[in-house]
Amino acid sequence: MTDYSLPAPAIEPAELVWRDGLPESARFGDVYFSRENGLEETRYVFLSHNGLPDRFRNVPPRGAFVIAETGFGTGLNFLAAWQAWRECRPDNGSVLHFVSAERYPLTRDDLKRALDLWPELAPLARELLTSYPPLVRGTHRLVLDGGRVRLTLYLGDVMDAWESLSFAADAWFLDGFAPALNPDMWLDNAIALIRRHSKPGTTLATFTAVGKIRRALEREGFEMRKTPGYGRKRDMIAGVMQVNAPATSPPDSGTVAVIGAGIAGTLLARNLASRGIAVTLIDAAEDAGAAASGNLQGAMYVKLGVEFNVQTELALSALIFSQRAYAPYQGTLWHPTGLLQLAWNPQEQDRQARFIDRNRYPEELLYPVDAATASELTGTPVSAGGLWFPNNGWLSPAGVCRELASHALIRCRFGTRIERLVPCNGKWHLSSRNGADIVVDNVVIAAGHRTPELIPLKGEYRFKSIRGQVTEVPEALMRAPKAVICGQKYLNPSHNGVAVTGATFDLHNTDPAVTQEANRENLDQLSAMLPDLFPDEAHQGEFEGRVGFRCTTHDYQPVAGMMQDCSGQSLEGVYLLTGLGSKGLTYAPLLAEYVADRITGQPACLPASLASSVRPDRMCRRRSD
Ligand code: SAM
């Protein structure tokens, strides 16, 4: 299906015509909502004919109610559902998941203009607009309302969306344009996919009453009824799934322990807590963020591939998600100063030229700059141009880890080194030398380079541990930048008088002590990359540094999800979240969201292709050797 005409990852936006102040689609020649009163129409057609908001009252503790929609458009249906959810939801940690597909997304400006029509929705509209993604195709997960609302917005064709997303709907809002004007949305195979994402009792409502569509829905197992339409529309239809459909109810997530209080583990623990789930967060160290996530500063970025393939899509999704995930810490622990990916040698210049030539990225994500602009943006002289990422920057990772770990539903067991995971009557027994015995339904190993020791399948999984030393450079010695610069090395803006640069990449060195030799390597490479950074020979002295060990994989892709043994059998209740290499700050937020989706049985934030690219069983020796 996919060929969304523009070069990837861009997606064509909607072309709107504003008639009497209301949006219409120039392409489809139809209105986005009723000219009489769009909000009332939504409440009548989609909410009340799906039994909402009443059904919201009965969502069980830590459960989820899942609404799926065809055609996100102006987001009016979404905001109306969210508003009703706020009024009626039980105070029990449950989540409203809204899954919607949109082939021609509105630009942020159009979305704002359309939503300005509804003053009573203004606070929710503002939150949506703040999180609204750059217009790139694929799956976007927006976490709203402190985590009580999660929107999975698939930018692409509805068929691709339902083919690749994993969810089971409780209610459907079928809201394409009129079938005569937008037949693709209502094809029989699109309706067949609706069944795949439904279960007995799933309800459905749509503004249209076209007989062909009603019959197609009946063939797929919905018992349909015709009822009066909204306003001047005579009829509409609504229905309930009767037959046994493949989707099953989500499991109760039970008790959860997360081993490792680095950026991945703390993000995951906090994520689960935001879904009402109590978590035991365990670390051998006495505090969160004490190991590889403990550097003073960490650059938040990824290198996007020249080809827009699965790896690039995962990196891009992670980048967009992480920019929003750290927003609560903006100005304190998260500094979106902008980031320059410097075209520091001829190979990188050539790579960036091909990247720009083959792809189209919105400027809010990145754009190419020449050396003069790069110097101005970074505030330090650079002799080459590069790619400018206006919304990236640097983080104080250990501080973020500590903040994340501090939540009423997170019980920290620091100073506890888990030695073994042993199956025990359908649960997992986590044993440690200091006698702390922890028994849980689910355990997530997010222990970085210590992960292999904990995997309850000795020797079958393979990971690499890579020593990385960073160097702390006093501000006074250099023309410190005001934005992050990445190339052969990265350099952060200085903070409290020092700027962190690094890191070394040593596969065969297990020495945890800082060496001046590694500091020199960092600084020599940094000054080769930025020849005007250090006046004189200022970087020749001795410096402070820090060593961390990153966990990486043979294909340099991360690992997230439930474990399998090497015969493909799932290890129920054991999950991995690791292999993030040196890109943990960027990958961890999205992958923590994904693992939390899997533990809770809620809709997955990764489409099938990305989920499969992070599957833990890639690490099985027997399979990949
Ligand atoms: N629910 C929307 C709201 O609350 O504003 C209104 C939806 S509007 C009536 C129909 C939407 O379906 C449009 O935004 C249109 O771009 C989208 N659409 C049309 N064909 C599509 C397709 N094949 N796949 C995904 N979305 C499509």
Side-chain angles (χ1 to χ4, degrees):
M1 161 60 70
T2 325
D3 166 21
Y4 301 137
S5 44
L6 295 180
I11 184 161
E12 242 173 307
E15 230 183 282
L16 299 193
V17 181
W18 295 87
R19 220 183 292 282
D20 306 325
L22 299 183
E24 286 184 17
S25 159
R27 176 182 303 272
F28 293 98
D30 201 358
V31 290
Y32 276 83
F33 40 74
S34 156
R35 302 203 138 267
E36 291 163 65
N37 184 329
L39 182 52
E40 283 309 319
E41 178 196 38
T42 291
R43 288 179 180 141
Y44 175 80
V45 175
F46 296 112
L47 296 190
S48 75
H49 285 88
N50 274 302
L52 305 175
D54 278 356
R55 288 166 76 197
F56 287 159
R57 294 181 217 280
N58 302 323
V59 181
R62 299 171 297 282
F65 192 93
V66 182
I67 298 175
E69 177 191 52
T70 52
F72 186 72
T74 70
L76 176 60
N77 290 344
F78 168 61
L79 294 191
W82 180 4
Q83 186 193 44
W85 169 250
R86 283 178 71 87
E87 282 161 14
C88 297
R89 67 188 175 197
D91 186 16
N92 61 3
S94 51
V95 179
L96 172 66
H97 272 267
F98 198 95
V99 183
S100 189
E102 178 52 63
R103 167 77 179 79
Y104 303 99
L106 268 65
T107 62
R108 191 187 302 272
D109 288 348
D110 279 338
L111 190 71
K112 176 166 184 341
R113 186 168 168 191
L115 293 177
D116 278 347
L117 292 166
W118 316 109
E120 68 172 290
L121 300 176
L124 306 187
R126 261 197 304 279
E127 200 177 332
L128 171 65
L129 279 159
T130 307
S131 296
Y132 195 62
L135 297 193
V136 293
R137 59 187 67 179
T139 312
H140 299 270
R141 165 63 60 84
L142 279 63
V143 180
L144 303 160
D145 206 346
R148 298 280 321 259
V149 174
R150 290 181 136 86
L151 169 63
T152 305
L153 181 56
Y154 187 93
L155 298 187
D157 193 87
V158 72
M159 293 283 286
D160 289 333
W162 303 158
E163 285 282 6
S164 55
L165 295 178
S166 161
F167 67 93
D170 293 292
W172 282 93
F173 296 0
L174 299 192
D175 192 18
F177 290 121
L181 301 170
N182 185 21
D184 286 0
M185 190 95 143
W186 302 95
L187 295 172
D188 283 356
N189 31 3
I191 291 178
L193 287 173
I194 288 174
R195 173 185 180 154
R196 194 198 284 179
H197 295 287
S198 301
K199 54 192 176 185
T202 295
T203 58
L204 168 155
T206 177
F207 63 92
T208 180
V210 170
K212 184 172 170 301
I213 290 166
R214 196 190 68 217
R215 287 189 295 279
L217 287 165
E218 282 169 348
R219 274 197 302 279
E220 294 302 337
F222 284 95
E223 188 176 288
M224 301 299 301
R225 65 186 191 280
K226 199 193 267 190
T227 87
Y230 176 76
R232 273 172 296 171
K233 287 209 182 107
R234 205 161 53 132
D235 302 311
M236 58 163 281
I237 53 175
V240 184
M241 173 55 81
Q242 296 298 348
V243 299
N244 272 334
T248 51
S249 297
D252 182 349
S253 25
T255 48
V256 184
V258 175
I259 307 177
I263 195 72
T266 54
L267 278 161
L268 177 62
R270 186 57 170 259
N271 193 308
L272 289 163
S274 84
R275 305 182 200 222
I277 294 167
V279 183
T280 305
L281 176 64
I282 307 163
D283 202 290
E286 293 297 337
D287 206 348
S293 302
N295 291 339
L296 286 179
Q297 298 180 303
M300 205 278 280
Y301 83 115
V302 280
K303 207 162 176 178
L304 298 164
V306 171
E307 304 302 328
F308 191 71
N309 53 21
V310 168
Q311 285 78 18
T312 311
E313 188 177 347
L314 180 70
L316 176 61
S317 300
L319 185 75
I320 294 171
F321 190 83
S322 57
Q323 289 174 347
R324 291 188 300 255
Y326 296 122
Y329 308 112
Q330 186 156 336
T332 53
L333 299 166
W334 161 230
H335 306 270
T337 52
L339 178 147
L340 177 71
Q341 211 166 71
L342 186 70
W344 62 280
N345 69 1
Q347 287 82 352
E348 181 59 12
Q349 273 165 20
D350 173 60
R351 198 195 76 83
Q352 291 192 8
R354 284 182 290 121
F355 173 80
I356 288 298
D357 192 45
R358 292 204 201 154
N359 301 282
R360 188 177 307 174
Y361 283 85
E363 290 209 337
E364 70 178 285
L365 277 174
L366 64 96
Y367 54 90
V369 289
D370 61 19
T373 314
S375 302
E376 202 176 302
L377 288 167
T378 58
T380 199
V382 296
S383 51
L387 298 175
W388 176 249
F389 291 71
N391 294 313
N392 279 42
W394 66 272
L395 211 61
S396 299
V400 172
C401 292
R402 285 193 293 270
E403 289 281 322
L404 288 166
S406 155
H407 186 284
L409 286 175
I410 302 177
R411 180 164 175 238
C412 296
R413 301 281 300 260
F414 294 155
T416 302
R417 183 181 289 283
I418 300 299
E419 311 235 293
R420 268 175 8 116
L421 271 55
V422 185
C424 162
N425 301 329
K427 294 178 184 275
W428 287 93
H429 178 199
L430 282 44
S431 64
S432 73
R433 206 177 287 165
N434 69 3
D437 279 327
I438 300 166
V439 179
V440 285
D441 296 297
N442 297 288
V443 53
V444 185
I445 309 172
H449 79 293
R450 300 235 171 246
T451 297
E453 301 161 20
L454 291 167
I455 286 180
L457 299 166
K458 286 283 176 258
E460 293 190 13
Y461 264 51
R462 58 171 179 179
F463 288 100
K464 294 189 224 178
S465 170
I466 299 177
R467 180 184 184 277
Q469 179 175 321
V470 296
T471 304
E472 296 168 8
V473 192
E475 181 183 2
L477 297 187
M478 62 181 165
R479 299 188 173 95
K482 60 182 183 191
V484 183
I485 303 178
C486 303
Q488 192 183 15
K489 292 285 149 176
Y490 64 79
L491 175 65
N492 293 292
S494 83
H495 188 65
N496 296 335
V498 288
V500 172
T501 187
T504 56
F505 187 95
D506 314 316
L507 250 178
H508 304 291
N509 182 346
T510 53
D511 183 2
V514 170
T515 68
Q516 289 308 321
E517 190 189 345
N519 279 341
R520 245 184 323 278
E521 177 192 322
N522 281 335
L523 294 175
D524 286 349
Q525 290 184 1
L526 184 65
S527 71
M529 180 181 116
L530 296 169
D532 296 320
L533 183 70
F534 296 107
D536 319 323
E537 292 300 295
H539 60 294
Q540 295 299 347
E542 299 228 326
F543 294 91
E544 301 283 312
R546 192 171 182 283
V547 174
F549 290 89
R550 325 167 185 113
C551 176
T552 193
T553 62
H554 63 287
D555 58 8
Y556 292 100
Q557 290 299 297
V559 171
M562 194 188 278
M563 269 194 71
Q564 295 84 25
D565 66 18
C566 291
S567 63
Q569 191 68 33
S570 288
L571 243 72
E572 291 291 331
V574 182
Y575 296 79
L576 292 187
L577 175 54
T578 189
L580 309 179
S582 54
K583 300 294 182 294
L585 302 182
T586 313
Y587 280 111
L590 181 66
L591 296 178
E593 176 81 3
Y594 172 66
V595 172
D597 291 341
R598 299 280 85 178
I599 290 174
T600 55
Q602 294 177 11
C605 63
L606 296 184
S609 54
L610 301 197
S612 136
S613 78
V614 297
R615 274 176 71 102
D617 61 350
R618 292 174 8 253
M619 299 304 112
C620 277
R621 283 183 192 282
R622 257 179 265 154
R623 286 198 160 187
S624 40
D625 277 350

